[in-house]
Amino acid sequence: MSTTGATADPLAALGSLPGVADSVESVRKAVDRVYGHRIMRRRSNAITSEAALRGARGSAALSGADWALEEVRRRTDFSTGGEAQVMGAALRLSAEAGQMLSIWRQSPLRVLARLHMVAAASDGDEVGRPRRAGEVADEPLIELPLPDAAEVSGRLDGLAELIIAGSSAPALVTAAVVHGELLALRPFGSHNGLVARAAERIVLIGSGLDPKSVCPAEVGHAELGRASYLAALDGYVSGTPGGMAAWIAHCGRAVELGARESTAVCEALQRGAA
């Protein structure tokens, strides 16, 4: 996303794209339905915990570890390599996201570095910093051209400036841009998809749209499917008004599906208490 232009608030300008206002309103209604459920008044912590688990499972699925929810509950060793490591990284990020809220608005790049460190769980030199010249990103499920280190640095700085400056844009728009920009840039040597989705979650929580983190967009992204996810990302990368609006709408639908998932959890808990 270009951060230059006539408008002082490019995120707010995206909010005026055709169809975006409808997406924002639809998301708000879906979120309100969850927060208005009677179970949320008594057992919101349980819903938050379940949403974190399901969100981690969804994010890992999009990064190649598509495990059944009960398998995620059952397993305790996530260090055996391959899909287990991806799932472990997703679970750690889900737990970490809520700890980063107070830092995000002041130092988003610091938060992104921390998220990558948590995901990588390594002390290698490449962990927690953007790619340097000549370094590549291990993100095999995203086949878009990889921006070079100079472009990554400039666009990350621009994104950070937007976050720090604040915007009148709806939370959905800001979250979608953060998510899309990190996927497009793949600024780290690994785990970029997981980090991008964790950053989206931080924006949704910190904005006040989903303060209890009970509407896991990662669930919705996984339910919509990888092909749909990548097609929408192509729209974001195109930079066209239609492409950007389609990506924002896709992210909005993902939040709605995450809200629907937690509503179903509320209903199940209510039936169990009856």
Side-chain angles (χ1 to χ4, degrees):
M1 175 188 177
S2 173
T3 59
T4 60
T7 176
D9 190 349
L11 293 176
L14 293 177
S16 66
L17 290 174
V20 170
D22 291 339
S23 293
V24 169
E25 179 62 20
S26 185
V27 165
R28 168 53 66 187
K29 289 178 179 178
V31 172
D32 286 347
R33 279 194 293 272
V34 180
Y35 278 83
H37 198 286
R38 60 189 302 178
I39 289 293
M40 280 293 293
R41 294 194 291 272
R42 296 185 283 116
R43 300 190 63 182
S44 64
N45 288 342
I47 306 303
T48 295
S49 296
E50 187 66 16
L53 182 69
R54 294 180 184 223
R57 193 216 72 82
S59 189
L62 288 169
S63 287
D66 193 359
W67 291 11
L69 186 61
E70 292 311 312
E71 176 73 0
V72 182
R73 294 190 201 280
R74 183 185 67 81
R75 290 283 290 269
T76 57
D77 182 7
F78 296 100
S79 61
T80 55
E83 292 186 4
Q85 285 188 326
V86 172
M87 186 61 68
L91 289 166
R92 291 192 298 273
L93 285 172
S94 186
E96 187 74 13
Q99 310 303 313
M100 298 284 100
L101 299 176
S102 63
I103 307 171
W104 174 254
R105 282 294 300 273
Q106 286 73 42
S107 186
L109 297 185
R110 179 182 166 193
V111 170
L112 293 176
R114 173 61 184 168
L115 292 176
H116 187 245
M117 291 176 66
V118 168
S122 164
D123 57 3
D125 173 68
E126 75 285 357
V127 173
R129 63 160 176 80
R131 293 183 287 109
R132 294 172 181 160
E135 294 179 338
V136 298
D138 180 16
E139 201 72 34
L141 301 178
I142 298 178
E143 299 179 352
L144 295 168
L146 189 66
D148 63 25
E151 182 178 353
V152 167
S153 178
R155 286 173 63 175
L156 279 180
D157 286 345
L159 182 63
E161 289 171 5
L162 289 177
I163 299 302
I164 293 168
S167 172
S168 61
L172 171 64
V173 172
T174 302
V177 167
V178 168
H179 184 171
E181 193 71 354
L182 293 175
L183 285 179
L185 294 177
R186 283 146 290 159
F188 302 108
S190 62
H191 300 93
N192 289 286
L194 295 175
V195 168
R197 291 183 289 275
E200 178 186 48
R201 172 113 306 276
I202 288 171
V203 174
L204 294 171
I205 300 168
S207 66
L209 176 64
D210 181 19
K212 294 184 182 294
S213 192
V214 296
C215 302
E218 304 95 326
V219 167
H221 287 303
E223 184 173 337
L224 290 167
R226 190 178 300 152
S228 179
Y229 186 64
L230 296 178
L233 178 61
D234 283 344
Y236 177 86
V237 172
S238 76
T240 64
M244 296 292 287
W247 170 251
I248 294 168
H250 182 90
C251 291
R253 182 60 181 152
V255 176
E256 291 180 56
L257 290 171
R260 187 181 71 178
E261 184 92 351
S262 286
T263 300
V265 172
C266 287
E267 293 292 333
L269 288 174
Q270 183 168 277
R271 287 193 298 272

